[in-house]
Every structure is written in C-alpha cells, then in structure tokens.
Amino acid sequence: MRCFLMVAGLSALTACTAGGPVEEEDLPATLVVNYAWSGFENMPEETCAAAWADTLYVEMDHPDGDYNLRQAACDNLPIEIPGLSTGVWTVEVRTTQYADTAPASYGVSELVDVTLGSDSTVEIDVTLECVENSYSCDRTE
C-alpha cells in the first residue's frame, strides 16, 4: 500500500509540473526607447549632460490597466524595457519623475502609442522637448 501511495503521489506531481508548451501570445515583449533633445537653447551638444539630465523616466499605460514607471540613467544610450505585456501601450519619456512638481526646466516627449506583439522587440524614437517651468531652457545660464 505504501508503495502504491508513493507511485500515485509521484504521478500526480509529474502531471502538475510537466505543463504544456507556453502559448505564443503569453510571451512578454521588449520596448527600446531612443531619445533626442529639442528646444534647449545654447545646448553645446546633444547629450544628457548638456540637457542637465541624469535620469529619464519612462511612463507607460496599457488599456488593460497595467501601469509602469521606469527610471533609467540618462547616459545617451537607448533604454531597454523587457517583460512587458502585449498590446498597445501609451508611452511618455521625461527628465523629471512628475511634471507637476518639477523643480526646474525639464524635457518631455509627446505621448506615443506603441503596439507590442508577443516575444517582440519594438524600437521607438522620441524627442524630449524643453519645458521652461519658470526656469529658462538656456543651458548657458
């Protein structure tokens, strides 16, 4: 009887852990964000340092209710965001976490709708436009 219980338990465990193939539609997607600068006066070069930015925030909304706010070092390299749900995401990139509490001028992109498919990598290009916010966009000050 004891042997029978061990074999039955092992069979049940194998059935639960064997699983089936992962459905293709369930595989996460990756978003790659390339960024450029605009509206910053007297900016000596198109770099994060020249825009006075050390961090970028990528805010993403999905119609299914998923929300994502990613923080990335502003290092003039594309931002890669893996593990996202498939579907249409609305994306905005900023140099401040919250635009309504920004302490100085900052950069912000337009809202971009991006469709991510299963197991795909999608690249987008955004331009961070300077917003004065009571401070100048002149980078020589």
Side-chain angles (χ1 to χ4, degrees):
M1 179 69 171
R2 186 180 192 183
C3 183
F4 173 75
L5 289 175
M6 286 193 318
V7 171
L10 184 58
S11 295
L13 180 62
T14 303
C16 290
T17 58
V22 174
E23 293 292 326
E24 185 175 327
E25 63 191 82
D26 295 333
L27 297 175
T30 300
L31 176 64
V32 178
V33 180
N34 301 301
Y35 51 93
W37 307 95
S38 179
F40 293 85
E41 301 167 29
N42 298 311
M43 193 171 172
E45 55 190 17
E46 295 268 324
T47 65
C48 294
W52 301 348
D54 56 3
T55 305
L56 292 175
Y57 299 89
V58 182
E59 185 172 20
M60 301 172 288
D61 286 305
H62 191 277
D64 289 344
D66 288 346
Y67 172 81
N68 217 312
L69 179 63
R70 297 283 176 107
Q71 179 178 332
C74 191
D75 56 9
N76 307 309
L77 298 173
I79 301 166
E80 186 172 311
I81 304 169
L84 297 172
S85 301
T86 59
V88 179
W89 288 87
T90 300
V91 179
E92 181 182 68
V93 182
R94 298 184 301 268
T95 60
T96 185
Q97 186 170 2
Y98 303 108
D100 58 344
T101 60
S105 60
Y106 61 93
V108 64
S109 73
E110 291 185 358
L111 295 175
V112 178
D113 288 333
V114 181
T115 302
L116 300 177
S118 177
D119 199 30
S120 66
T121 298
V122 176
E123 283 193 47
I124 62 170
D125 297 321
V126 299
T127 300
L128 295 161
E129 187 72 36
C130 186
V131 176
E132 289 197 340
N133 193 34
S134 301
Y135 291 88
S136 172
C137 285
D138 188 342
R139 290 308 186 233
T140 60
E141 294 179 352

